């Protein structure tokens, strides 16, 4: 993944446009997700090169001033319509990284960590919910 | 090249998924010597995503439902560029039951008689009642939670366990069905509501398809296969069959395969049972050409690979802002179902029908990747959905058409050079009308349940998990590939036991029917084919 100062800045602006700051929490760009995104894009071929190719695409769209200019929502929209498949993967990896972050979990009230062994509580089965439907006559088609 | 020849067995079973595992167990119990060869590895329960804090990333990557995304060594690529519905499956000991949701409704009696009743497709050569004892036996082996008395289905034996609690959100939707006067019933599921046969009760963590190390959700690697091994079956993982061999008389002699080290071996057998699923089985049959089967094994009718059926899926999601508990608590899709629109009704503009399957919300990343937009509305949209969304999936009967098919790809191969399957499939007109009706009805239910906003999809495409019809059964060898016992018309010692043999797909998840058919085939071999025992 590209790591020059300029490309990191561009990436952070792009991430903030995708998931902006909310309440007292920074946007995806301000949460320093770069390391997590790097791990994800090296750990599975599905995401190999997704971030770099996205930065390249945005840089191209920014034109001659390239990395020095401001990324805007309009530029991201252009990227989305010019390469929807790449954009979909970008969004998926960014959403997955952001919503795997414990600070985000805290804000949305999600318990971080593995789903097992705790699971979730569930009220017990109450057969009386079937009272209405049980009154119905069998209606399956009888055939041998 | 010298090829290692293994010790002959009575029966070679190819594939250890839902169907292959059931046959392996049943025939081992009857004293046949059985080798079950499986291209995938054992998957240790400790590796399941639900045991990892990284589960959301894992489910998008090496635990993805699609082999084309996962790309694990055992996965073969599937060229589904020419298919409106994309194929998903899993390749390991346990097959796709490693990933399944374990929702197990049965076919209706009418599903076996669609030509007689509705003038479409073909009748099956068997009836619901021929299969009934095998459905029951399969429930016993897999462990079924559920309750009798459903007016949409014939009465049946008591389940092994009471239903999974439907929860306050399930009750909310159930009441909406009640208000409309529409049918609903708690789902029959192969998920434990109590401890069962050494496997623990479900603790409702959510994504059933990502499995758990409690063994609460049955899969064939933890139900049939261990029992079969105790009875002497040899289960050989990492063994990729590339052809079933046949003699000049047309009968199978065994199979050639690559072992775990990539070396070629030959497994001789008196009979070969194929359970590689509705895509893997036609792929293997088409690749098994010989002097006696020049068009591929069992393919004198030309029907191997034809009549591919998935179920057609669509659905609606409602967002609720007045629920007592978040909707990500509880099994994702083993809650309730409705068969109000299951049977043909002449007043509607389509034949056959559909089932509604209720679904819950999911964890944060799957909620976001499920359609929350980026940008300034992101957080508001996420908040509207997360823990507040409930869905109704429409599972529609997908009538068979010969143009929907599996072929061998001319270029794409797996890591051994075996041709990949190519899928040619488009959604038929009857299905489109059926889905449109289903989506409208789903919206009606969610409205009645008090959803604040409803969104819907007219066709879900990443839903090719029910693979059926590509080597169908029938009495006429010119119109079918196998007979009612799954026995090849062209070779009396080759049996097919997976969803390939389905004549029609019905409007319910297929696996209990696949497993019941597999157990029926095994019973036929046990009682009528002692000649196959050495
Ligand atoms: C995400 C998901 C959810 C599902 N949910 C449900 C549900 O709720 N209810 C339901 O009824 N069904 C469900 N299904 C479908 C269910 O999993 C299948 O119907 C069932 O597993 C099919 O059984 P099978 O034996 O035909 O094939 P599989 O279980 O797919 O097993 C086939 C096996 O054959 C092996 N094989 C293939 N080719 C070769 C070869 N050349 N050599 C050696 N081995 C080979 C494969 O590796 C695999 O292990 C779901 C499936 C998925 C993917």
């Amino acid at each position: 993944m590209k790591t020059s100062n300029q490309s990191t800045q561009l990436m952070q602006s792009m991430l903030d446009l995708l998931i902006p700051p909310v309440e007292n929490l920074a946007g995806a760009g301000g949460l320093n997700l770069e390391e997590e995104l790097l791990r994800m894009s090296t750990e599975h071929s599905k995401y190999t090169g997704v971030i770099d190719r996205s930065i390249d695409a945005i840089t191209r769209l920014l034109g001659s001033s390239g990395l020095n200019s401001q990324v805007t929502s309009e530029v991201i929209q252009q990227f989305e319509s010019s390469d929807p498949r790449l954009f979909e993967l970008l969004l998926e990896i960014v959403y997955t990284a952001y919503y795997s972050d414990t600070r985000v979990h805290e804000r949305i009230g999600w318990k971080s960590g593995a789903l097992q062994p705790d699971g979730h509580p569930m009220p017990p089965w109450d057969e009386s919910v079937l009272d209405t439907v049980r009154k119905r006559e069998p209606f399956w088609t009888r055939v041998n | 090249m010298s090829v290692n020849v293994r010790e002959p067995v009575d029966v070679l079973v190819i594939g250890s998924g839902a169907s292959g595992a059931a046959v392996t167990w049943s025939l081992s119990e009857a004293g046949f010597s059985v080798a079950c060869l499986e291209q995938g590895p054992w998957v240790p329960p400790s590796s399941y995503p639900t045991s990892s804090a990284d589960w959301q990333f894992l489910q998008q990557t090496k635990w993805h439902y699609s082999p084309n995304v996962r790309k694990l060594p055992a996965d073969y690529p599937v060229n589904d560029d020419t298919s409106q519905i994309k194929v998903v499956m899993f390749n390991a000991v346990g097959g796709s039951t490693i990933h399944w949701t374990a929702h197990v409704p049965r076919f209706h009696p009418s599903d076996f008689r669609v030509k007689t009743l509705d003038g479409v497709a073909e009748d099956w050569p068997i009836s619901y009642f021929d299969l009934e004892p095998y459905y029951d036996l399969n429930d016993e082996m897999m462990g079924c939670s559920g309750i009798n008395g459903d007016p949409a289905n014939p009465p049946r034996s008591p389940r092994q366990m009471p239903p999974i609690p439907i929860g306050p959100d399930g009750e909310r939707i159930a009441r909406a069905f009640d208000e409309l006067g529409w049918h609903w019933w708690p789902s029959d599921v192969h998920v434990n509501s109590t401890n069962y046969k050494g496997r623990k009760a479900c603790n409702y963590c959510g994504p059933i398809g990502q499995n758990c190390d409690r063994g609460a959700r049955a899969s064939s690697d933890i139900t049939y296969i261990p029992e079969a091994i105790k009875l002497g079956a040899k289960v050989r993982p990492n063994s990729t069959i590339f052809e079933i061999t046949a003699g000049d008389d047309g009968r199978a002699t065994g199979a050639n395969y690559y072992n775990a080290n990539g070396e070629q071996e030959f497994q001789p057998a008196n009979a070969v049972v194929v359970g590689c699923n509705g895509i893997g089985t036609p792929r293997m049959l088409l690749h098994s050409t010989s002097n006696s089967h020049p068009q591929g094994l069992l393919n004198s009718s030309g029907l191997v690979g034809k009549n591919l059926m998935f179920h057609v899926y669509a659905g609606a999601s409602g967002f609720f802002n007045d629920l007592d508990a978040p909707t990500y608590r509880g099994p994702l899709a083993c809650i309730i179902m409705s068969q109000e629109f299951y049977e043909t009704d002449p007043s509607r503009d389509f034949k056959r029908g559909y089932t509604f399957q209720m679904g819950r919300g999911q964890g944060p990343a799957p909620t976001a990747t499920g359609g929350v937009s980026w940008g300034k509305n992101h957080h508001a949209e996420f908040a509207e959905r997360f823990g507040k969304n409930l869905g109704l999936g429409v599972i529609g009967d997908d009538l068979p058409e010969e143009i929907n098919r599996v072929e061998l790809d001319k270029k794409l191969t797996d890591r051994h050079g075996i041709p990949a399957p190519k899928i040619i499939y488009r959604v038929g007109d009857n299905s489109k009308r059926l889905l449109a009706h289903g989506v409208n009805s789903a919206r009606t239910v969610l409205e009645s349940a008090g959803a604040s906003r409803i969104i819907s999809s007219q066709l879900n495409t990443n839903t090719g998990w029910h693979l059926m019809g590509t080597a169908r059964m029938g009495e006429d060898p010119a119109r079918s590939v196998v007979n009612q016992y799954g026995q090849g018309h062209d070779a009396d010692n080759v049996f097919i036991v997976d969803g390939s043999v389905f004549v029609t797909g019905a409007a319910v998840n297929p696996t209990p029917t696949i497993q019941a058919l597999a157990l029926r085939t095994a019973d036929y071999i046990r009682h009528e084919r002692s000649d196959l025992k050495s």
Side-chain angles (χ1 to χ4, degrees), chain B residues 18-19 38-39 91-92 95-96 101-103 241 277 284 498 509 511:
Chain B
S19 61
E38 164 57 54
Q39 70 186 348
N91 300 302
S96 303
T101 307
H103 193 255
I241 311 279
N277 79 37
M284 181 173 309
D498 54 57
N509 320 61
T511 310

Side-chain angles (χ1 to χ4, degrees), chain B residues 41-362:
Chain B
W42 285 99
V43 184
S46 57
S47 69
Y48 296 143
T50 53
S51 296
S52 164
D54 208 15
W55 66 276
Q56 304 187 106
F57 171 69
L58 292 173
Q59 89 174 9
Q60 291 288 9
T61 52
K62 67 178 186 182
W63 282 90
H64 198 276
Y65 294 152
S66 166
N68 292 343
V69 173
R70 243 176 6 239
K71 296 193 169 122
L72 295 176
D75 288 324
Y76 55 87
V78 177
N79 178 354
D80 53 16
D81 291 347
T82 43
S83 175
Q84 265 184 291
I85 294 181
K86 305 301 170 192
V87 172
V88 296
M89 61 168 81
F90 203 74
N91 300 302
V93 178
S96 303
T97 66
I98 295 287
H99 251 339
W100 76 325
T101 307
H103 193 255
V104 292
R106 295 181 181 184
F107 274 33
H108 285 207
S110 63
D111 286 317
F112 297 85
R113 298 286 177 268
V114 297
K115 177 90 173 169
T116 304
L117 292 172
D118 305 311
V120 292
E122 307 263 351
D123 287 348
W124 288 59
I126 57 171
S127 75
Y128 170 83
F129 301 99
D130 292 322
L131 271 191
E132 199 174 33
Y134 301 100
Y135 277 122
D136 286 348
L137 174 58
N138 186 51
D139 279 348
E140 172 73 27
M141 291 300 292
M142 300 287 278
C144 188
S145 301
I147 188 164
N148 222 335
D150 178 3
N153 280 275
R156 64 178 82 149
S157 310
R159 317 300 187 275
Q160 288 69 33
M161 291 165 274
I164 296 278
I166 67 173
D169 46 7
E171 211 173 313
R172 178 76 169 258
I173 300 294
R175 300 266 178 241
F177 278 114
D178 280 346
E179 265 167 39
L180 291 163
W182 290 0
H183 165 264
W184 71 274
W185 201 254
S187 295
D188 272 356
V189 296
H190 284 163
V191 177
N192 293 354
S193 61
T194 59
N195 292 348
Y196 185 72
K197 291 195 173 178
R199 296 185 288 110
K200 289 187 186 147
C202 181
N203 63 357
Y204 313 121
C205 78
I208 294 185
Q210 299 302 326
N211 221 335
C212 72
D213 66 359
R214 301 170 66 81
R217 192 216 55 193
S219 49
S220 58
D221 59 321
I222 56 171
T223 53
Y224 282 108
I225 291 285
E227 294 299 318
I229 290 173
K230 275 190 222 154
L231 293 163
K234 301 277 179 282
V235 176
R236 234 176 283 152
N238 304 307
S239 303
T240 308
I241 311 279
F242 61 91
E243 64 173 350
I244 298 165
T245 52
D248 289 339
D249 60 357
R251 301 181 83 237
T253 53
N256 282 313
Y257 68 102
Y258 294 104
N259 67 17
N261 302 320
E263 296 148 356
Q264 213 172 299
E265 297 198 314
F266 178 64
Q267 176 63 63
N270 296 339
V272 175
V273 174
V274 192
C276 294
N277 79 37
I279 303 282
T281 289
R283 174 189 185 221
M284 181 173 309
L285 296 178
L286 291 171
H287 196 239
S288 299
T289 51
S290 59
N291 289 339
S292 44
H293 300 278
Q295 300 186 76
L297 188 61
L298 308 187
N299 197 20
S300 64
S301 64
L303 285 175
V304 169
K306 306 263 174 73
N307 294 304
L308 170 68
M309 294 171 281
F310 302 109
H311 285 120
V312 285
Y313 271 77
S317 283
F319 307 138
F320 295 81
N321 42 30
D322 58 348
L323 293 172
D324 295 334
T327 59
Y328 48 71
R329 288 191 188 160
L332 176 64
C334 288
I335 318 160
I336 65 171
M337 58 120 189
S338 164
Q339 296 191 324
E340 182 63 30
F341 303 103
Y342 194 92
E343 308 275 357
T344 299
D345 177 341
S347 72
R348 297 196 282 263
D349 63 351
F350 55 90
K351 295 285 170 79
R352 305 306 299 159
Y354 57 87
T355 296
F356 285 123
Q357 187 178 347
M358 182 190 157
R360 287 201 165 90
Q362 302 193 59

Side-chain angles (χ1 to χ4, degrees), chain A residues 29-47:
Chain A
L31 286 180
N32 300 319
L33 297 176
E34 295 80 10
E35 224 172 273
E36 181 63 352
L37 289 168
L38 177 63
R39 176 187 74 86
M40 289 179 168
S41 47
T42 42
E43 223 165 81
H44 197 273
S45 59
K46 182 182 186 186
Y47 297 129

